[in-house]
């Protein structure tokens, strides 16, 4: 598994929905890649922090800004 592939399935991994074979590849990659291990830790921290935010508590402006930031982040990752 490459770093790019790991990033694409990290949500499935965290949700426990990644198929067993893919999960094994994911974890094997993590064992060898400090960058991806750090990314996974960052995702876990982010989920923990924003897990307390519900859609109802966001203003429309905040929701739009968060979506924009996410799209910009994904775009910058795909350009690398």
């Amino acid at each position: 598994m490459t770093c790019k592939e790991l990033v694409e399935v990290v949500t499935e991994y965290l949700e426990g929905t990644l198929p067993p074979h893919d999960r094994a590849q994911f974890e094997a990659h993590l064992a060898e890649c400090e960058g991806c291990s750090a990314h996974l830790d960052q995702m876990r921290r982010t989920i923990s922090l924003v897990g307390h935010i519900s859609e109802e508590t966001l203003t429309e402006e905040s929701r739009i800004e968060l979506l924009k930031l996410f799209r910009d982040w994904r775009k910058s990752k795909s350009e690398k």
Side-chain angles (χ1 to χ4, degrees), residues 2-74:
T2 66
C3 295
K4 183 177 180 180
E5 290 168 333
L6 184 137
V7 168
E8 291 174 0
V9 297
V10 71
T11 301
E12 291 175 69
Y13 178 81
L14 290 169
E15 291 175 345
T17 60
L18 199 58
H21 179 264
D22 294 337
R23 184 178 188 85
Q25 287 184 325
F26 187 100
E27 291 172 347
H29 181 89
L30 284 176
E32 298 178 0
C33 183
E34 288 183 33
C36 286
S37 293
H39 176 71
L40 178 61
D41 289 340
Q42 184 179 43
M43 290 295 292
R44 285 183 170 140
R45 283 192 308 261
T46 300
I47 290 166
S48 176
L49 290 172
V50 299
H52 303 288
I53 299 173
S54 68
E55 190 173 338
E56 295 80 27
T57 63
L58 292 175
T59 64
E60 183 65 15
E61 184 178 288
S62 295
R63 188 183 72 76
I64 291 168
E65 183 63 22
L66 284 171
L67 289 171
K68 180 186 177 309
L69 289 169
F70 179 73
R71 287 184 191 115
D72 291 348
W73 174 81
R74 287 208 41 143

